Amino acid sequence: MTPILEGSHDGSHLKIAIVVSRFSGEPCQKLLEGALGRLEELGVASSDIDVAWVPGAFEIAGAATRFHKARNHDAIITLGCVIRGETPHFDHVAGPCADAISRLSSGGRIPVIFGVLTTDNREQAMARCGGKQGNKGSDSAQAAIEMIRLYQQIPREASE
Ligand code: INI
Protein backbone atom coordinates (compact mmCIF):
# COMPACT_ATOMS: atom_id res chain seq x y z
CA MET A 1 0.00 0.00 0.00
CA THR A 2 1.21 3.52 -0.75
CA PRO A 3 2.35 5.20 2.47
CA ILE A 4 0.46 8.41 3.19
CA LEU A 5 2.36 11.01 5.18
CA GLU A 6 0.42 13.27 7.47
CA GLY A 7 1.51 15.48 10.35
CA SER A 8 -0.03 14.99 13.78
CA HIS A 9 -1.23 17.78 16.07
CA ASP A 10 1.12 16.89 18.90
CA GLY A 11 2.75 20.11 20.00
CA SER A 12 4.73 18.70 22.90
CA HIS A 13 8.43 19.67 23.16
CA LEU A 14 8.21 22.05 20.19
CA LYS A 15 9.57 25.59 20.10
CA ILE A 16 7.59 28.17 18.17
CA ALA A 17 8.35 31.74 17.12
CA ILE A 18 5.49 34.12 16.36
CA VAL A 19 5.95 37.42 14.53
CA VAL A 20 2.89 39.65 14.79
CA SER A 21 2.32 43.15 13.45
CA ARG A 22 0.48 45.72 15.52
CA PHE A 23 -0.65 48.06 12.72
CA SER A 24 -4.38 47.28 12.74
CA GLY A 25 -4.70 46.96 16.51
CA GLU A 26 -7.51 44.69 17.70
CA PRO A 27 -7.50 42.17 14.82
CA CYS A 28 -3.79 41.52 15.33
CA GLN A 29 -4.20 41.12 19.08
CA LYS A 30 -7.00 38.60 18.47
CA LEU A 31 -4.95 36.67 15.94
CA LEU A 32 -2.19 36.36 18.53
CA GLU A 33 -4.65 35.23 21.22
CA GLY A 34 -6.04 32.63 18.82
CA ALA A 35 -2.58 31.32 18.02
CA LEU A 36 -1.45 31.17 21.64
CA GLY A 37 -4.67 29.46 22.72
CA ARG A 38 -4.41 26.80 20.03
CA LEU A 39 -0.72 26.16 20.70
CA GLU A 40 -1.54 25.61 24.35
CA GLU A 41 -4.37 23.21 23.43
CA LEU A 42 -1.96 21.23 21.27
CA GLY A 43 0.56 20.89 24.07
CA VAL A 44 3.13 23.61 23.39
CA ALA A 45 4.54 25.01 26.63
CA SER A 46 4.21 28.78 26.94
CA SER A 47 7.90 28.94 27.84
CA ASP A 48 8.64 27.45 24.39
CA ILE A 49 6.90 30.28 22.51
CA ASP A 50 8.68 33.50 21.58
CA VAL A 51 6.57 36.42 20.36
CA ALA A 52 7.99 39.39 18.47
CA TRP A 53 5.81 42.44 17.76
CA VAL A 54 6.63 44.50 14.69
CA PRO A 55 5.10 47.83 13.58
CA GLY A 56 3.40 46.63 10.40
CA ALA A 57 3.03 43.76 7.98
CA PHE A 58 5.92 45.09 5.91
CA GLU A 59 8.30 44.34 8.80
CA ILE A 60 7.09 40.77 9.46
CA ALA A 61 9.37 39.01 6.99
CA GLY A 62 12.52 40.69 8.32
CA ALA A 63 11.87 39.56 11.88
CA ALA A 64 10.82 36.10 10.69
CA THR A 65 14.07 35.81 8.73
CA ARG A 66 16.07 36.59 11.87
CA PHE A 67 14.27 33.86 13.80
CA HIS A 68 14.87 31.53 10.86
CA LYS A 69 18.60 32.23 10.82
CA ALA A 70 18.89 31.84 14.59
CA ARG A 71 17.70 28.20 14.29
CA ASN A 72 16.14 28.13 17.75
CA HIS A 73 12.59 27.20 16.72
CA ASP A 74 10.72 24.37 15.03
CA ALA A 75 8.36 26.71 13.15
CA ILE A 76 7.62 30.38 12.65
CA ILE A 77 4.08 31.74 12.59
CA THR A 78 3.51 35.13 10.99
CA LEU A 79 0.40 37.10 11.95
CA GLY A 80 -0.87 40.45 10.76
CA CYS A 81 -3.62 42.30 9.01
CA VAL A 82 -3.60 44.45 5.89
CA ILE A 83 -6.90 46.17 5.10
CA ARG A 84 -7.42 47.50 1.59
CA GLY A 85 -9.90 50.18 2.59
CA GLU A 86 -7.49 51.70 5.12
CA THR A 87 -4.52 52.32 2.90
CA PRO A 88 -3.74 53.63 -0.56
CA HIS A 89 -0.65 51.41 -0.61
CA PHE A 90 -2.31 48.08 0.22
CA ASP A 91 -0.60 46.37 -2.70
CA HIS A 92 2.83 47.66 -1.69
CA VAL A 93 2.42 46.22 1.80
CA ALA A 94 0.40 43.04 1.26
CA GLY A 95 2.25 41.80 -1.83
CA PRO A 96 5.83 42.13 -0.57
CA CYS A 97 4.80 40.75 2.82
CA ALA A 98 3.26 37.63 1.29
CA ASP A 99 6.10 37.19 -1.23
CA ALA A 100 8.85 37.41 1.37
CA ILE A 101 7.14 35.02 3.78
CA SER A 102 6.49 32.64 0.91
CA ARG A 103 10.18 32.68 -0.07
CA LEU A 104 11.23 31.90 3.50
CA SER A 105 8.66 29.11 3.73
CA SER A 106 9.53 27.48 0.44
CA GLY A 107 13.14 26.92 1.56
CA GLY A 108 11.61 24.03 3.46
CA ARG A 109 13.95 23.85 6.46
CA ILE A 110 11.18 24.61 8.95
CA PRO A 111 7.54 25.55 8.39
CA VAL A 112 6.88 29.28 8.07
CA ILE A 113 3.16 29.86 8.34
CA PHE A 114 1.29 32.71 6.67
CA GLY A 115 -1.33 34.00 9.09
CA VAL A 116 -1.57 37.50 7.64
CA LEU A 117 -5.10 38.62 6.83
CA THR A 118 -5.59 40.64 3.65
CA THR A 119 -9.13 41.97 3.53
CA ASP A 120 -11.19 44.66 1.85
CA ASN A 121 -12.40 46.14 5.12
CA ARG A 122 -12.21 45.91 8.90
CA GLU A 123 -15.45 43.93 9.13
CA GLN A 124 -13.95 41.12 7.06
CA ALA A 125 -10.85 41.21 9.22
CA MET A 126 -12.84 40.97 12.46
CA ALA A 127 -14.80 38.01 11.07
CA ARG A 128 -11.49 36.16 10.60
CA CYS A 129 -9.91 36.77 13.98
CA GLY A 130 -12.49 35.21 16.27
CA GLY A 131 -15.75 36.04 14.46
CA LYS A 132 -17.97 34.20 11.99
CA GLN A 133 -15.06 32.96 9.88
CA GLY A 134 -13.04 31.54 12.76
CA ASN A 135 -9.61 32.72 13.83
CA LYS A 136 -6.75 32.63 11.36
CA GLY A 137 -4.28 32.82 14.23
CA SER A 138 -5.66 29.61 15.67
CA ASP A 139 -5.66 27.95 12.24
CA SER A 140 -2.07 29.07 11.69
CA ALA A 141 -0.97 27.57 15.00
CA GLN A 142 -2.48 24.22 14.09
CA ALA A 143 -0.92 24.38 10.63
CA ALA A 144 2.49 25.01 12.21
CA ILE A 145 2.31 21.91 14.41
CA GLU A 146 0.98 19.75 11.59
CA MET A 147 3.75 20.88 9.24
CA ILE A 148 6.50 20.34 11.82
CA ARG A 149 5.32 16.78 12.35
CA LEU A 150 5.02 16.26 8.59
CA TYR A 151 8.52 17.57 7.90
CA GLN A 152 9.86 15.11 10.48
CA GLN A 153 8.70 12.36 8.13
CA ILE A 154 10.12 13.81 4.90
CA PRO A 155 13.88 13.38 4.44
CA ARG A 156 15.84 16.55 3.84
CA GLU A 157 19.24 17.11 2.31
CA ALA A 158 22.09 16.05 4.57
CA SER A 159 23.85 19.39 4.02
CA GLU A 160 21.12 21.46 5.71
N1 INI B 1 0.73 47.70 7.81
C1 INI B 1 -0.14 46.73 8.15
O1 INI B 1 0.25 45.79 8.85
N2 INI B 1 -1.42 46.79 7.74
C2 INI B 1 -1.88 47.80 6.97
O2 INI B 1 -3.09 47.79 6.62
C3 INI B 1 -0.99 48.85 6.60
N3 INI B 1 -1.45 49.97 5.87
O3 INI B 1 -2.66 50.19 5.85
O4 INI B 1 -0.67 50.70 5.28
C4 INI B 1 0.34 48.77 7.05
N4 INI B 1 1.24 49.74 6.73
C5 INI B 1 2.49 49.91 7.46
C6 INI B 1 3.63 49.06 6.89
O5 INI B 1 3.39 47.70 7.13
C7 INI B 1 4.96 49.42 7.53
O6 INI B 1 4.89 49.23 8.91
C8 INI B 1 5.37 50.87 7.27
O7 INI B 1 5.31 51.17 5.88
C9 INI B 1 6.83 51.11 7.76
O8 INI B 1 7.74 50.31 7.02
Side-chain angles (χ1 to χ4, degrees), residues 8-152:
S8 78
H9 294 152
D10 172 14
S12 56
H13 309 296
L14 296 178
K15 291 176 76 75
I16 307 292
I18 299 176
V19 181
V20 54
S21 67
R22 76 169 71 84
F23 189 89
S24 302
E26 191 181 1
C28 295
Q29 183 64 47
K30 285 176 171 286
L31 289 173
L32 179 61
E33 288 167 8
L36 293 174
R38 191 68 185 131
L39 289 175
E40 187 184 345
E41 285 170 5
L42 298 178
V44 181
S46 57
S47 56
D48 285 333
I49 303 171
D50 291 309
V51 177
W53 283 96
V54 296
F58 195 80
E59 284 74 39
I60 291 174
T65 300
R66 300 205 46 129
F67 275 128
H68 193 270
K69 286 184 175 168
R71 293 183 174 247
N72 290 326
H73 301 89
D74 299 297
I76 302 167
I77 299 170
T78 64
L79 302 173
C81 182
V82 192
I83 301 175
R84 185 181 295 276
E86 293 183 4
T87 174
H89 63 259
F90 175 94
D91 293 327
H92 300 299
V93 175
C97 170
D99 290 347
I101 294 168
S102 170
R103 272 197 301 279
L104 199 55
S105 174
S106 62
R109 186 179 64 78
I110 59 171
V112 181
I113 305 298
F114 185 64
V116 180
L117 295 173
T118 52
T119 64
D120 288 331
N121 53 52
R122 183 162 280 260
E123 189 185 358
Q124 289 176 355
M126 293 306 289
R128 289 161 176 75
C129 60
K132 285 185 199 140
Q133 307 284 336
N135 186 313
K136 194 172 176 69
S138 168
D139 295 347
S140 298
Q142 181 163 312
I145 303 304
E146 182 177 330
M147 290 302 293
I148 293 167
R149 296 307 186 193
L150 177 68
Y151 279 16
Q152 288 174 343

